Amino acid sequence: MPKHWGYYHVDCGHFPTQIKLCFSNETFQRVLRDHGIAEKASALDEGIAETHYLTDGREAIIILAFDLKECVDEDPAYLAGVIAHEATHCVCRVFEHIGEPPEEIGEESRAYLTEHIVKQITTGISVEMERNARKENRSAPKQKSKRSGGTE
């Protein structure tokens, strides 16, 4: 799941759909630009996480957007639930894109793809949180020691 330009690629195996993971409307807009999508859309206007499905009938892209500040302020179970919720939408869009009605997909196929996507979203969130923490630590002002010089 290499990071590219502020967003992440989520692998969906042999399915012919691109999945991207981002954490702000700015990176959402970058995904649209990088993929030549002129459709006017925005992310995270109304929720803390969203799944966007954009297709021209031949090719498709699924963009998962998470507002980490809102998601991680809650307990870990809340974040796990949000990840599972969006992964479920994502899996439905993957099957929709290949022409398989989501309700007709076998339970094991759905479960394995959902698990695979949940793991990648969770990894992406962990990487992004670590990156944000490092960025905050670098920008925090250095505090001088309160001690005066000399021996005690």
Side-chain angles (χ1 to χ4, degrees):
M1 161 176 291
K3 184 176 178 189
H4 178 71
W5 302 110
Y7 56 89
Y8 301 81
H9 172 74
V10 176
D11 173 61
C12 64
H14 62 276
F15 294 105
T17 308
Q18 291 193 58
I19 304 171
K20 305 298 178 191
L21 173 63
C22 64
F23 300 103
S24 69
N25 184 54
E26 293 76 25
T27 53
F28 177 83
Q29 297 303 321
R30 181 156 199 146
V31 172
L32 296 179
R33 281 191 311 273
D34 288 354
H35 290 83
I37 299 169
E39 185 174 324
K40 297 290 183 202
S42 63
L44 303 171
D45 286 341
E46 297 180 19
I48 61 170
E50 300 169 348
T51 300
H52 293 263
Y53 174 62
L54 304 160
T55 184
D56 62 5
R58 212 174 25 150
E59 294 184 28
I61 187 167
I62 299 167
I63 307 171
L64 303 165
F66 288 80
D67 182 343
L68 285 185
K69 290 178 183 158
E70 295 294 324
C71 290
V72 298
D73 285 343
E74 303 289 334
D75 68 56
Y78 181 79
L79 178 58
V82 172
I83 292 169
H85 180 102
E86 295 309 322
T88 301
H89 287 308
C90 181
V91 167
C92 288
R93 299 299 76 78
V94 168
F95 288 126
E96 181 181 323
H97 180 66
I98 64 169
E100 295 289 334
E103 64 276 359
E104 293 182 18
I105 298 303
E107 190 174 325
E108 283 301 303
S109 296
R110 179 191 308 271
Y112 277 119
L113 183 55
T114 302
E115 175 186 358
H116 184 65
I117 290 171
V118 164
K119 287 177 180 177
Q120 291 181 79
I121 293 170
T122 303
T123 299
I125 287 173
S126 294
V127 169
E128 188 71 10
M129 288 172 55
E130 287 174 19
R131 185 179 143 267
N132 291 344
R134 282 193 308 272
K135 192 184 295 181
E136 285 178 19
N137 286 341
R138 283 193 305 259
S139 65
K142 304 277 189 224
Q143 291 185 346
K144 292 186 176 185
S145 174
K146 293 181 181 177
R147 292 183 175 175
S148 60
T151 59
E152 292 184 18

